[in-house]
Amino acid sequence: TMTDTTTATTVVTMTDTTTMTEEATQTVVSGCTDLGGAVADLVDSADAVAAFTTAIAGVVDVPTSYVKNVVFTDGSTCGGRRLGARRLQTTGTVTYDLVFPASLGAAGSKAAAEDAISALTSATVESVSTAFTTAIESYESLSGVTVTVESVSAPTITESGGTSPEPTDAPTTTTDDDEHPPDAACETSVALGLLVALTQVM
């Protein structure tokens, strides 16, 4: 009696590499710029805030929606390390935040923040000043207001995004088919047996 012992074995390997970490949050870069000229005319001016928002967003190449908390202060100075400066004739400052949302992902928001810092670091005082004065000219309420950028202080990350969980690897499935075909010798024996039987009948 011949028995076919063919079997098929499926091996499922579950690989879980999920890393449990804190929830990703926004990343915030804070900056300060020394201004010269009629800074007092910019204090509490929504158009001045809009103009500076447009200017600084253009310098760092981010959406204007990322520029938050723009505040003009008359009679103050930024202090700290300056990336560039004219012969300072500072009459006031403008402070601001660049907020990179958590929707960019932990790595994305931090990378975007670092890119923004790099852009501000490499920008010249003249280029920032030109961008701001050009934006000011777009607002009738600021007509005749003359303001210049005197220095740009080094921006810093004041709020750092968390880290997102790493994606979980999908389970992998491997199939190990241990098929044992009928033994050839066994098949030969069966054939000979049938031949002998037929011979005896004849």
Side-chain angles (χ1 to χ4, degrees), residues 33-39 42 86-87 89-94 125 128-130 132-133 136 145-151:
T33 298
D34 286 306
L35 302 175
V39 178
L42 306 181
R86 304 170 186 251
R87 181 176 300 174
Q89 297 178 347
T90 302
T91 57
T93 60
V94 56
V125 172
V128 178
S129 186
T130 298
F132 187 31
T133 55
I136 285 177
V145 175
T146 301
V147 177
T148 58
V149 172
E150 297 298 320
S151 73

Side-chain angles (χ1 to χ4, degrees), residues 6 24 43 56 70 72 84 89 100 102 132 135 137 143 155 161 186-187 190:
T6 300
V43 176
I56 203 68
V70 176
F72 292 93
Q89 297 178 347
F100 299 91
F132 187 31
E137 293 171 356
S143 177
C186 182
E187 289 182 345
V190 172

Side-chain angles (χ1 to χ4, degrees), residues 141-183:
S141 65
L142 301 176
S143 177
V145 175
T146 301
V147 177
T148 58
V149 172
E150 297 298 320
S151 73
V152 178
S153 294
T156 57
I157 293 180
T158 55
E159 181 179 336
S160 182
T163 53
S164 299
E166 296 294 331
T168 302
D169 290 348
T172 57
T173 303
T174 59
T175 302
D176 182 14
D177 293 328
D178 295 322
E179 297 186 356
H180 303 283
D183 190 349

Side-chain angles (χ1 to χ4, degrees), residues 81-117:
R81 185 171 69 88
R82 293 180 172 85
L83 299 175
R86 304 170 186 251
R87 181 176 300 174
L88 291 182
Q89 297 178 347
T90 302
T91 57
T93 60
V94 56
T95 56
Y96 59 92
D97 291 328
L98 300 175
V99 181
F100 299 91
S103 61
L104 295 176
S109 65
K110 291 184 72 173
E114 290 168 357
D115 287 344
I117 291 176

Side-chain angles (χ1 to χ4, degrees), residues 51-75:
F52 185 79
T53 295
T54 298
I56 203 68
V59 170
V60 298
D61 192 22
V62 298
T64 55
S65 60
Y66 287 11
V67 183
K68 308 287 187 182
N69 307 320
V70 176
V71 177
F72 292 93
T73 304
D74 188 33

